Amino acid sequence: MSASTAAGVVWDLSDLYRGPDDPRIDRDLASAHERARAFEAAHRGKVAVAGGPAPDFLLNALKELESLSEQMDRSGVYASLVHAAKTDEPAHGALLSRTREKRTEINKHLIFFDLEWVQVADADAARLAADPRLARYRHFLEQKRAWKPHYLSEPEEKVLEEKSVTGRAAFVRLFDETVAALRCPFEHGGHTEPMPVQQILSKLYDPDRGVRRSAAAALTQGLRDNARLLTFVFNTLVLDHRSDCTLRRFDSVMGPRHLANEISDAVVEALMTATERHQETFRRYYRLKGRLLGLDQLYDYDRYAPVSGDLPSCDWAMAREIVEGSYTAFDPKAGAIIREFFARHWIDAELRPGKRGGAFSSSAVPSVHPYILLNYTDKVRDVMTLAHELGHGLHQYLSRGAGYFQCDTPLTTAETASVFGEMLTFRRLQVLYPEPRVRLALLCGKIEDGFATVFRQVVLTRFEQSLHRAREERGELTTEQINELWTAANAPMHGDVVRLTDDYGWWWLYIGHFIHVPFYCYAYAFGELLVLALVQKYTQEGSAFVPKYLELLASGGSDAPHVLLAKLGVDVTDPAFWELGLRLLGDMVSDAESLAAQLA
Ligand SMILES: [Zn+2]
């Protein structure tokens, strides 16, 4: 557990609170509660009035609401950070639930505001949103109203909300708990060991083909054993989603997701068809990978096999230098912000029992600064994770000026700075490790990451579309029928380069995205292709690109993504736009081919 050079790299959360027993936590919560009560008393019944509220009245209300919301959330953010840093400390769990409960209580006084704002007549709301005095909150005000046509009456909303606990939410939890408890009988070396899904999936990255094949068989068996129940959950939630869309007057089952993402159906369809036109890039790479692995025919369980087992290790000091260097070379100001993260202890990188796995950057609250958590294990891959999270950190740091209500972006652009920052660091790593064998391994890793976020997510979305369509046309579906839809969605991309076994047909059964947030997946493809296009713009425009890019990050979620991106000369509504990123992926495969030729 302690075998990492990041030992001792711990964050300092004292900019939020001194500790879990800091009396200011309860003082902030009590104060926010008091302010919320006063806010309700002063504003209830005064927003949804004939002609709409006076602009100054609305402005003052928004300022107070934003300020007290931030005060309310500060303790919750702190609680989630101390909990992530040490989840097995009971006091941390208790603090987390205490702040959550208090938040729900405070929120009860605030819900009226949104409901009243939506009731203001369209013409009055448009006039207010356009008022220069309210300019800072324009997008926030407009976004709230974008959902107006889809709201039901207040009593109907209350019934839906209440029944969802024993309806949709219960099925989601049943799915999560079933997949978490699911055991896959992994056969290896003459004995069988039951393994959870996550552990089995990690065995698909094993250099030994026998291990990968056994893992694939074990996963299939684990899913088959639970197929009846999981299929029923899928059938139920797909139908539930459709009835929700019908009740809320959406004209397509993707409608709610598009609205939340502030994107049109046409843009998403253009992105997906462009990606599908480039599927040959995927096959070209896997032909190369087959050669590198020395395999005549690749099967589904070979896709994640490592092309090189022994990448050099990278200690924390070196990682810091690489990442700081890559951001500084992009822009000295950005580099200075990244240095602050290290120097002022906003990063928690050491390995520690009880610490949450994975990595994240929390924006915390705009009046403080972001915090980053990762588990640094001295692998080159961790350097990319550090660069990724610092990209989020830079974005969050710069967008604080947009304020608490508008600093966050929708899903589609949330990964912009992280993936861009990863790309900067990736390019630096390619220079630092000039040896062709290492460069090739790094490049293959980057290509496979890109494929997982672009090609795979488009396939997942196509499958999801066909699933919702089939459920509507044919009624309740059997596992076998859904297996066929899954295979049909996957087959065109893999062609005969990666042969999909019958077992693979079952592998939709554990994917939580379909259950948690319908049509979540295309946002990944959007984000990745957007960044690859931005990388190309940076290559073409050089330093002229930099201020426009930083301005984009500083804008946060203060306008719709296509509006903010237009300022960089990026037009996501142009179907040809997606070609830029897809061609860059193709170029990366060509680079891998020529590196491999050098090595042969
Ligand atoms: Zn991310």
Side-chain angles (χ1 to χ4, degrees):
M1 193 87 202
S2 61
S4 162
T5 53
V9 179
V10 180
W11 58 25
D12 172 8
L13 297 177
S14 64
D15 287 338
L16 285 166
Y17 294 103
R18 276 198 303 275
D21 49 5
D22 188 337
R24 283 186 308 151
I25 294 177
D26 284 323
R27 238 181 286 151
D28 273 346
L29 285 170
S31 159
H33 199 167
E34 193 38 55
R35 288 170 75 185
R37 250 188 244 118
F39 182 83
E40 185 178 25
H43 298 89
R44 190 186 259 284
K46 293 180 183 150
V47 180
V49 291
D56 286 322
F57 177 82
L58 185 57
L59 177 63
N60 287 327
L62 287 165
K63 280 183 179 164
E64 173 61 8
L65 186 62
E66 187 173 42
S67 162
L68 83 87
S69 301
E70 186 171 339
Q71 186 181 34
M72 162 178 82
D73 281 348
R74 186 178 179 121
S75 59
V77 164
Y78 176 74
S80 68
L81 293 176
V82 290
H83 180 70
K86 206 151 175 39
T87 55
D88 52 1
E89 171 63 52
H92 294 172
L95 179 65
L96 192 60
S97 44
R98 186 155 59 88
T99 55
R100 271 194 194 144
E101 283 155 26
K102 194 72 189 172
R103 191 179 191 277
T104 311
E105 215 177 303
I106 297 172
N107 251 330
K108 282 187 191 149
H109 298 288
L110 306 175
I111 295 169
F112 82 92
F113 186 82
D114 283 5
L115 294 174
E116 284 201 30
W117 169 242
V118 166
Q119 284 162 29
V120 172
D122 287 346
D124 296 323
R127 180 177 45 75
L128 285 162
D131 191 296
R133 280 165 287 185
L134 288 156
R136 184 178 165 79
Y137 296 103
R138 180 186 53 79
H139 190 59
F140 175 77
L141 289 170
E142 286 172 350
Q143 263 310 98
K144 291 261 175 243
R145 292 189 54 101
W147 292 89
K148 182 180 180 178
H150 309 290
Y151 281 134
L152 304 175
S153 70
E154 203 173 329
E156 286 170 326
E157 288 288 351
K158 276 191 176 146
V159 171
L160 281 184
E161 172 76 28
E162 188 151 344
K163 297 305 284 181
S164 79
V165 179
T166 46
R168 181 182 163 72
F171 279 100
V172 170
R173 188 173 146 194
L174 179 63
F175 174 87
D176 286 344
E177 292 188 359
T178 304
V179 172
L182 195 153
R183 290 296 174 266
C184 305
F186 178 65
E187 284 179 40
H188 196 62
H191 48 88
T192 305
E193 192 189 334
M195 281 186 185
V197 171
Q198 282 311 318
Q199 199 180 350
I200 274 294
L201 288 173
S202 72
K203 294 212 170 286
L204 293 172
Y205 293 79
D206 200 281
D208 180 345
R209 195 184 209 187
V211 171
R212 297 198 301 271
R213 204 185 299 145
S214 298
L219 178 60
T220 307
Q221 191 55 51
L223 295 173
R224 286 182 88 124
D225 292 343
N226 292 272
R228 201 183 58 83
L229 190 150
L230 292 174
T231 303
F232 184 71
V233 174
F234 267 83
N235 269 298
T236 304
L237 287 178
V238 166
L239 180 61
D240 178 77
H241 181 70
R242 178 154 52 87
S243 62
D244 232 47
C245 289
T246 309
L247 286 170
R248 294 184 180 284
R249 297 173 289 269
F250 281 101
D251 51 16
S252 106
V253 285
M254 292 175 89
R257 186 86 329 252
H258 292 340
L259 189 58
N261 285 341
E262 302 177 45
I263 200 173
S264 75
D265 193 51
V267 169
V268 175
E269 189 51 41
L271 149 77
M272 299 218 293
T273 46
T275 303
E276 284 161 337
R277 271 199 304 275
H278 282 260
Q279 282 173 343
E280 178 55 20
T281 301
F282 178 93
R283 292 187 288 269
R284 198 150 61 85
Y285 173 73
Y286 277 97
R287 273 185 218 108
L288 170 68
K289 183 158 181 173
R291 288 199 296 279
L292 291 170
L293 295 172
L295 297 172
D296 290 334
Q297 177 63 59
L298 290 178
Y299 289 90
D300 48 73
Y301 50 76
D302 294 319
R303 287 170 304 158
Y304 307 118
V307 292
S308 163
D310 48 349
L311 275 176
S313 67
C314 183
D315 66 24
W316 177 253
M318 176 83 168
R320 174 177 178 173
E321 205 181 302
I322 293 170
V323 174
E324 279 182 0
S326 63
Y327 278 97
T328 306
F330 175 70
D331 176 64
K333 279 195 306 298
I337 295 168
I338 297 301
R339 269 195 301 282
E340 243 187 295
F341 275 83
F342 289 96
R344 300 178 65 181
H345 309 287
W346 301 346
I347 305 176
D348 197 282
E350 73 171 7
L351 307 177
R352 186 190 313 126
K355 180 173 168 176
R356 219 188 92 168
F360 65 79
S361 178
S362 163
S363 55
V365 286
S367 55
V368 185
H369 52 76
Y371 280 103
I372 286 173
L373 176 143
L374 75 156
N375 290 273
Y376 194 79
T377 63
D378 293 359
K379 297 209 173 76
V380 173
R381 217 189 148 73
D382 299 331
V383 183
M384 301 290 282
T385 304
L386 179 63
H388 180 105
E389 298 310 332
L390 279 166
H392 282 305
L394 178 67
H395 199 168
Q396 291 159 344
Y397 183 101
L398 289 170
S399 68
R400 290 181 300 168
Y404 189 69
F405 284 161
Q406 297 192 139
C407 55
D408 293 330
T409 69
L411 280 180
T412 42
T413 41
E415 295 296 330
T416 308
S418 55
V419 179
F420 192 87
E422 244 187 88
M423 209 61 186
L424 296 176
T425 293
F426 171 71
R427 292 192 162 178
R428 203 169 181 85
L429 282 171
Q430 289 255 299
V431 178
L432 285 168
Y433 294 100
E435 203 205 322
R437 191 186 53 84
V438 178
R439 283 188 60 198
L440 179 61
L442 283 170
L443 189 55
C444 289
K446 192 80 192 131
I447 289 170
E448 291 185 23
D449 285 351
F451 284 3
T453 32
V454 178
F455 292 112
R456 178 169 160 88
Q457 303 305 323
V458 168
V459 166
L460 295 183
T461 306
R462 285 292 186 221
F463 163 71
E464 206 173 0
Q465 286 177 319
S466 70
L467 173 64
H468 282 262
R469 215 179 301 121
R471 179 74 179 88
E472 181 169 9
E473 289 166 1
R474 290 144 72 181
E476 187 158 328
L477 302 165
T478 64
T479 309
E480 288 72 19
Q481 284 173 318
I482 305 180
N483 289 358
E484 278 168 28
L485 298 174
W486 174 250
T487 305
N490 276 277
M493 177 172 86
H494 294 88
D496 56 2
V497 179
V498 179
R499 199 163 288 167
L500 302 176
T501 59
D502 288 344
D503 277 6
Y504 188 69
W506 300 77
W507 287 24
W508 51 275
L509 277 161
Y510 70 91
I511 301 176
H513 280 122
F514 302 140
I515 297 297
H516 297 136
V517 187
F519 299 104
Y520 187 102
C521 297
Y522 73 77
Y524 287 119
F526 182 103
E528 179 83 16
L529 287 179
L530 170 63
V531 171
L532 293 177
L534 291 179
V535 167
Q536 287 198 320
K537 276 194 116 35
Y538 173 46
T539 311
Q540 287 157 8
E541 298 174 15
S543 57
F545 171 84
V546 176
K548 289 185 287 182
Y549 173 76
L550 295 176
E551 177 63 35
L552 170 75
L553 300 193
S555 307
S558 59
D559 215 327
H562 68 272
V563 177
L564 296 176
L565 287 164
K567 295 177 188 164
L568 277 85
V570 164
D571 181 6
V572 293
T573 64
D574 175 7
F577 168 73
W578 305 107
E579 294 290 325
L580 287 171
L582 288 159
R583 263 187 250 130
L584 185 60
L585 278 176
D587 292 346
M588 286 163 71
V589 173
S590 302
D591 287 349
E593 284 169 340
S594 52
L595 272 171
Q598 278 178 45
L599 283 165

